């Protein structure tokens, strides 16, 4: 039987702070396949996440097939806006939610992974985070600062993670990020430079696949996911409209589940995908293939 077997592999998933987004669903799929899971959580969301876990509020979501429950081997604080702790402003470092967290930069997470699991203790890295402070602004109305922040947190952070974590990867290592088709087509309302950040992320996926592939033998891919009402997406404000529009117009009208992306991520992280790198993989019920929507009621060439 051809199975996805990640037994003995360790994953680091950056961008998990609740059970509602793609990061959590990917963690579950990788755990289901046997991998051990470490996550990186944004410091402002870390206490709430830890409380939810400790109080058993996520017990239902953590359940895996066969009665097991997903456990996180480590939960590291991670603010992907900073490559090193010195890059973080003193005011932020001293603020309530960051102060007691130690080194929350990308270098800090890499150092902790090295400390906890040795020089080569990692097989899978997932970048499942994004932030654009002006996401509600049209691109035309986005400030330089907001635009650069969106690209910094949502795209550059992936480069920094590939750079800092590649040396820790065992042979066959796999990097994955999450993108959205606003990078290549106009999605009204997906503003603040987030569309530009996703375009950068996708282009970087190709270049990083070549550079880190040659240097470290790792693979680098990105999943272009259809809309999901995660916490981050709900902040955009249009998510329900994006979901219903996509559902009405995609080749498949089934509901897109976070688990669809989780399963594809598990495949991409596995040796079954040993020949796939530098790719944008669409998990969107096929919506990316459409050039025109199915307008209103009725049929087009007999298709409903
Ligand atoms: N939800 C969608 O419709 C959709 C569609 C396509 C792609 N994506 C992408 O999927 C990825 C995961 O998002 P999601 O929608 O599952 O939402 P989510 O809320 O589960 O994940 C986003 C995470 O990013 C974290 N984050 C924000 N700023 C950070 C920072 N500076 N450092 C570290 N972490 C930070 C948040 O705490 C959160 O945990 C993102 O890259 C997003 O753009 C989402």
């Amino acid at each position: 039987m051809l199975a996805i077997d990640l037994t003995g592999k360790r994953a680091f998933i950056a961008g998990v702070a609740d059970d509602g987004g793609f990061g959590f669903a990917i963690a579950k799929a990788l755990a289901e396949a046997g991998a051990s899971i470490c996550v990186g959580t944004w410091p402002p969301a870390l206490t709430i996440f830890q409380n939810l876990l400790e109080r058993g509020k996520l017990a239902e979501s953590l359940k895996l097939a066969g009665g097991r429950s997903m456990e996180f081997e480590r939960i590291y604080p991670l603010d992907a806006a900073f490559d090193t702790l010195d890059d973080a402003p003193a005011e932020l470092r001293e603020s309530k939610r960051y102060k007691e967290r130690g080194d929350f930069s990308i270098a800090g997470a890499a150092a902790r992974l090295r400390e906890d699991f040795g020089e080569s203790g990692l097989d899978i890295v997932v970048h499942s985070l994004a932030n654009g402070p002006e996401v509600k602004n049209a691109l035309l109305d986005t400030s330089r600062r907001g635009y650069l922040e969106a690209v910094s947190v949502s795209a550059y952070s992936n480069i920094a993670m590939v750079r800092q974590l590649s040396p820790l990867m065992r042979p066959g290592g796999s990097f994955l990020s999450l993108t959205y088709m606003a990078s290549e087509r106009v999605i009204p309302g997906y503003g603040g430079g987030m569309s530009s950040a996703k375009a950068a992320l996708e282009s970087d996926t190709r270049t990083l696949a070549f550079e880190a592939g040659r240097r470290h033998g790792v693979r680098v891919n990105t999943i272009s996911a259809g809309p999901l009402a995660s916490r981050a997406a709900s902040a955009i404000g249009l998510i329900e409209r994006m979901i219903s529009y996509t559902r009405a117009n995609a080749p498949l009208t089934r509901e897109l589940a976070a688990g669809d992306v989780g399963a594809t991520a598990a495949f991409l992280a596995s040796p079954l995908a040993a020949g796939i790198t530098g790719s944008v993989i669409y998990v969107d019920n096929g919506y990316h293939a459409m050039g025109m929507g199915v307008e209103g009621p009725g049929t087009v060439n007999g298709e409903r």
Side-chain angles (χ1 to χ4, degrees):
M1 199 172 72
L2 191 64
I4 296 177
D5 183 4
L6 301 175
T7 312
K9 298 196 186 285
R10 180 172 292 108
F12 173 60
I13 304 171
V16 179
D18 57 44
D19 58 355
F22 288 127
F24 190 88
I26 292 171
K28 269 189 92 167
L30 298 179
E32 199 82 71
S36 53
I37 310 294
C38 299
V39 297
T41 303
W42 195 37
L46 187 50
T47 307
I48 300 172
F49 184 45
Q50 281 169 330
N51 283 343
L52 288 174
L53 286 168
E54 279 161 25
R55 290 193 199 141
K57 301 272 188 211
L58 303 182
E60 205 47 44
S61 315
L62 289 164
K63 273 192 193 150
L64 301 174
R68 279 190 307 140
S69 198
M70 175 164 69
E71 282 177 22
F72 296 117
E73 199 176 16
R74 295 284 190 286
I75 300 176
Y76 299 115
L78 174 72
D79 192 324
F82 307 111
D83 297 336
T84 67
L85 196 55
D86 285 346
D87 294 337
E91 197 187 322
L92 184 87
R93 270 185 277 157
E94 289 308 314
S95 66
K96 192 168 147 249
R97 291 184 169 133
Y98 283 78
K99 210 168 150 186
E100 311 292 335
R101 296 294 183 189
D103 189 343
F104 51 78
S105 69
I106 295 173
R112 288 186 196 201
L113 282 161
R114 184 177 276 116
E115 219 172 273
D116 292 345
F117 305 112
E119 280 307 319
S120 53
L122 209 51
D123 303 279
I124 301 159
V125 173
V126 180
H127 177 285
S128 182
L129 60 94
N131 195 20
E134 296 181 27
V135 68
K136 289 188 174 169
N137 287 1
L139 183 61
L140 197 55
D141 301 323
T142 297
S143 71
R144 183 182 295 261
R145 197 173 162 174
Y147 179 95
L148 293 176
E149 174 95 19
V151 175
S152 162
V153 172
S154 314
Y156 183 82
S157 56
N158 189 49
I159 302 174
M161 280 176 54
V162 174
R163 178 171 54 241
Q164 305 222 34
L165 298 175
S166 281
L168 302 183
M169 296 286 253
R170 288 187 277 239
S174 156
F175 285 89
L176 181 69
S177 66
L178 273 299
T179 186
Y180 183 48
M181 69 167 293
S183 60
E184 48 184 322
R185 308 277 170 88
V186 179
I187 306 286
Y190 194 80
M194 280 305 300
S195 54
S196 325
K198 292 305 190 190
L201 187 72
E202 290 173 24
S203 175
D204 297 343
T205 296
R206 293 181 279 273
T207 306
L208 291 172
F210 169 68
E211 294 178 356
R214 291 294 175 106
R215 226 184 266 181
H216 301 285
V218 295
R219 296 182 290 113
V220 186
N221 291 295
T222 188
I223 289 178
S224 184
L228 173 83
S230 64
R231 180 181 284 250
S234 302
I236 307 170
L238 296 160
I239 189 66
E240 293 307 336
R241 207 175 134 220
M242 287 157 82
I243 291 170
S244 58
Y245 182 89
T246 309
R247 204 165 167 186
N249 293 294
L252 302 178
T253 55
R254 63 190 277 284
E255 186 181 341
L256 186 82
D260 296 333
V261 168
T264 303
F267 160 70
L268 287 171
S270 79
L272 296 177
I276 303 179
T277 192
S279 294
V280 180
I281 316 281
Y282 294 90
V283 183
D284 65 347
N285 281 335
Y287 178 71
H288 70 280
M290 300 301 292
M292 189 178 108
V294 184
E295 264 184 72
T299 57
V300 179
N301 292 343
E303 304 298 336
R304 189 167 281 280

